[in-house]
Amino acid sequence: MPEPWIKINQLTRRYHQKTVLHEINLEIFPKEVLTILGPNGAGKTTLLRILSTLEKADSGKILYNFPGQKPLTLSFPEKDHRRISDPLRPSLLYLFQKPVVFSGSVLDNLLFSARFRHIPVDRTKIEHVLEKVGILPLLHQNARSLSGGEVSRLALARAFLIEPAVLFLDEPSANLDPLGMQMLENLLLDWIHKTDMAIVLVTQDLFEAKRISDRVAFLLNGSLIECHPKSTFFSHPTNNLTKQFIQGSLPV
Amino acid sequence: MNAFWQGLNEAIVMILRGDSATYEALFLSLQVTVYALFVSSVIGFPLGIWLAFSRFKFKRLVMNLIFTFMGFPPVVAGLLVYLMLSRSGPLGYLQLLFTPTAMVLAQILLALPVIIGLTYLGIQAVDTSVWELAYTLGATRWQAGWMLFRESRHAILGALITAFGAAISEVGAAMLVGGNIEGFTRSLTTSLMLETRQGNFSRALALGLILLLVSFFVNAFLVLYNQTQGIKHHARALD
């Protein structure tokens, strides 16, 4: 097993009085797809947002250790979170569940991303990433007129342009049809095959988790119930709640 | 009605002939308003963005105050600036009273709350996840703020047009702190007032017409600019 790129230690997040994440411990390794599985309101999105530095936690630590970079630890409550987490941002990319775009064309959207990250682009590169996700004909189309699925593809095209070390995907199946999902999964698996990147994917869909994951973590009511390699997770879950979730008999 | 047509006639003649007093008043009005809008924009837009995002204790009170000042009576703004700049006032030593600079200051007082308030409301109306999107894509906080500002450009345009209208058309403050000195602080509105008082209704009407035309062209320019910005894309950047 290689060294983990991200090590989460006793991470806790509260909103007002409610504990959204409770003492989470988890590791993320290079070249793996880690799926965070759980029902609505389990805290999946919050966890993803904290890992991608969009949000702060209340206590606990996250250690980021990327090759060729100085290891960096966020110890919550981190006072100067934005500034301290800044060096991490080029390595991380979070894809929203909600379809969000900048006004302008599809091309504009890609160029903005490239400019923010100081990535040199040319026409070939832009066309290449759009071709990959199947929306090259939409190059000059107004991004606001895209469908939810097309926005998801645009977001993926941005990811290919940016090439982060860790890609966080928040419920990609929410906007993609089965065909789109198949494309996404194939592209991600191909990507991970070619590079060392890590993919952290949040979903409530068991089948999606089964298809794409290397490891699966089960999150329920803000607590991490268990985390195992995919085969173990589905065939021999240790926790009763996990068993019930897999069988679809988790009491509501 | 006769006076109206006569005024219209005279206005056209004045514009075509280039009546120097009228043009001086026009240029002063434009100059004062452009300076005031420039300063108000530089301060007001960032402040409006900041207010839309920040949370602090008396925010509701602050916003209420800003919204109140959006309807600031120009003559009160003029009075405040007058008191500040008058010889016994705290800034009296600057000797700015009865200068165009004093008029700019008074107009800033009128335009700034409009720009802050309407920027704030405009940003509240757009999807703020654009900010987060920009941030996750590696934008600095200011770049992300700019992206949000860009999304709210229609509201921004509304803010500019409203502030421009309020500033160029006000007469109370210009009169009080400018003093309507011929060839120096005589603007379109103050000279319009003077001409009306003196019974030169056709001249006054002519000035009013010029004022309207200025507003029309400035607004047309702003709207047109906004539209071309919407269509324009960076395709050229690639070639």
Side-chain angles (χ1 to χ4, degrees):
Chain A
M1 214 57 166
E3 279 288 298
W5 275 359
I6 301 179
K7 215 169 169 174
I8 306 160
N9 195 349
Q10 297 293 96
L11 195 75
T12 297
R13 173 69 165 141
R14 287 177 215 93
Y15 281 120
H16 307 293
Q17 297 306 313
K18 196 175 173 276
T19 303
V20 185
L21 290 175
H22 181 69
E23 297 179 359
I24 305 285
N25 294 301
L26 191 62
E27 288 173 344
I28 297 164
F29 295 93
K31 232 174 171 49
E32 75 160 347
V33 180
L34 170 66
T35 300
I36 298 169
L37 188 66
N40 288 330
K44 307 187 294 292
T45 296
T46 307
L47 179 59
L48 221 53
R49 286 172 61 89
I50 292 172
L51 289 177
S52 57
T53 77
L54 262 177
E55 244 179 77
K56 289 194 249 186
D58 292 292
S59 61
K61 277 180 192 168
I62 311 174
L63 170 74
Y64 295 86
N65 191 4
F66 297 113
Q69 278 186 43
K70 235 167 86 181
L72 200 153
T73 306
L74 299 176
S75 313
F76 299 104
E78 187 75 78
K79 257 194 205 147
D80 207 356
H81 179 252
R82 281 251 157 82
R83 193 178 57 78
I84 292 179
S85 63
D86 202 56
L88 292 170
R89 295 207 289 141
S91 311
L92 311 172
L93 182 64
Y94 173 69
L95 301 196
F96 293 84
Q97 180 185 349
K98 190 170 146 186
V100 208
V101 293
F102 303 123
S103 60
S105 64
V106 167
L107 174 61
D108 288 335
N109 270 269
L110 288 175
L111 289 176
F112 274 123
S113 323
R115 192 184 307 163
F116 293 148
R117 299 230 181 190
H118 310 288
I119 298 167
V121 284
D122 52 31
R123 185 170 281 276
T124 332
K125 198 166 179 188
I126 295 270
E127 283 175 358
H128 176 67
V129 294
L130 286 175
E131 177 90 74
K132 229 173 171 174
V133 300
I135 55 167
L136 182 55
L138 305 180
L139 181 69
H140 292 293
Q141 194 154 321
N142 182 352
R144 290 244 176 269
S145 69
L146 300 183
S147 71
E150 287 163 345
V151 173
S152 301
R153 287 164 190 251
L154 171 58
L156 196 62
R158 279 198 204 105
F160 280 121
L161 196 66
I162 284 172
E163 298 186 315
V166 186
L167 180 66
F168 300 98
L169 292 117
D170 195 355
E171 305 238 6
S173 53
N175 292 302
L176 286 169
D177 59 13
L179 217 66
M181 269 317 280
Q182 204 187 344
M183 175 212 69
L184 175 86
E185 287 168 11
N186 288 340
L187 284 173
L188 292 182
L189 290 175
D190 179 54
W191 201 358
I192 234 167
H193 182 69
K194 285 179 184 157
T195 66
D196 273 346
M197 83 183 301
I199 293 174
V200 184
L201 182 126
V202 150
T203 187
Q204 41 187 314
D205 181 350
L206 284 167
F207 298 102
E208 193 183 329
K210 263 187 192 165
R211 281 194 303 268
I212 192 173
S213 318
D214 294 308
R215 287 189 307 143
V216 183
F218 181 48
L219 198 64
L220 184 68
N221 296 327
S223 295
L224 192 77
I225 308 296
E226 57 187 310
C227 179
H228 300 297
K230 175 171 67 178
S231 52
T232 322
F233 183 91
F234 285 107
S235 56
H236 303 289
T238 47
N239 194 291
N240 222 2
L241 292 165
T242 318
K243 258 178 227 165
Q244 287 174 331
F245 186 76
I246 292 171
Q247 289 160 3
S249 60
L250 192 70
V252 186
Chain B
M1 215 49 206
N2 201 21
F4 180 80
W5 292 116
Q6 211 183 321
L8 207 65
N9 247 330
E10 205 164 315
I12 292 162
V13 171
M14 276 163 75
I15 293 168
L16 293 180
R17 275 216 191 128
D19 177 77
S20 70
T22 311
Y23 271 85
E24 262 171 29
L26 172 63
F27 283 129
L28 180 76
S29 276
L30 280 177
Q31 204 181 4
V32 166
T33 302
V34 165
Y35 278 135
L37 277 195
F38 177 75
V39 175
S40 304
S41 301
V42 168
I43 305 172
F45 287 130
L47 207 59
I49 297 178
W50 180 76
L51 279 168
F53 276 100
S54 59
R55 270 179 235 139
F56 53 93
K57 213 174 170 187
F58 298 108
K59 182 172 170 178
R60 196 175 288 184
L61 178 71
V62 169
M63 286 326 296
N64 266 331
L65 281 175
I66 287 170
F67 292 143
T68 307
F69 280 102
M70 279 171 73
F72 209 20
V75 70
V76 179
L79 176 66
L80 291 181
V81 173
Y82 189 99
L83 291 174
M84 292 296 278
L85 298 182
S86 71
R87 204 175 291 170
S88 52
L91 299 176
Y93 65 93
L94 293 172
Q95 297 194 314
L96 285 174
L97 196 61
F98 305 130
T99 62
T101 312
M103 296 163 78
V104 171
L105 288 177
Q107 288 200 355
I108 290 172
L109 228 50
L110 296 175
L112 187 57
V114 172
I115 287 185
I116 298 174
L118 292 184
T119 304
Y120 173 85
L121 291 176
I123 286 186
Q124 302 274 300
V126 301
D127 187 355
T128 47
S129 35
V130 165
W131 192 94
E132 287 198 336
L133 175 64
Y135 190 74
T136 57
L137 290 173
T140 63
R141 292 171 73 176
W142 283 107
Q143 280 176 325
W146 168 255
M147 293 309 284
L148 198 65
F149 187 73
R150 201 180 150 269
E151 294 302 318
S152 53
R153 64 177 179 277
H154 295 288
I156 302 301
L157 179 73
L160 267 180
I161 288 177
T162 312
F164 176 81
I168 195 130
S169 66
E170 71 82 24
V171 59
M175 205 67 157
L176 265 183
V177 303
N180 195 24
I181 301 164
E182 195 180 351
F184 185 48
T185 58
R186 181 163 294 174
S187 69
L188 280 176
T189 54
T190 58
S191 65
L192 193 152
M193 228 168 129
L194 187 74
E195 300 293 354
T196 310
R197 286 240 183 91
Q198 292 180 344
N200 301 329
F201 298 124
S202 50
R203 248 188 116 74
L205 210 56
L207 287 163
L209 197 69
I210 291 173
L211 199 56
L212 278 176
L213 281 175
V214 167
S215 271
F216 176 80
F217 283 118
V218 170
N219 286 336
F221 169 76
L222 286 175
V223 170
L224 213 68
Y225 180 73
N226 189 50
Q227 276 171 358
T228 53
Q229 284 294 299
I231 299 162
K232 202 177 84 180
H233 54 66
H234 308 275
R236 265 172 288 135
L238 285 180
D239 300 320

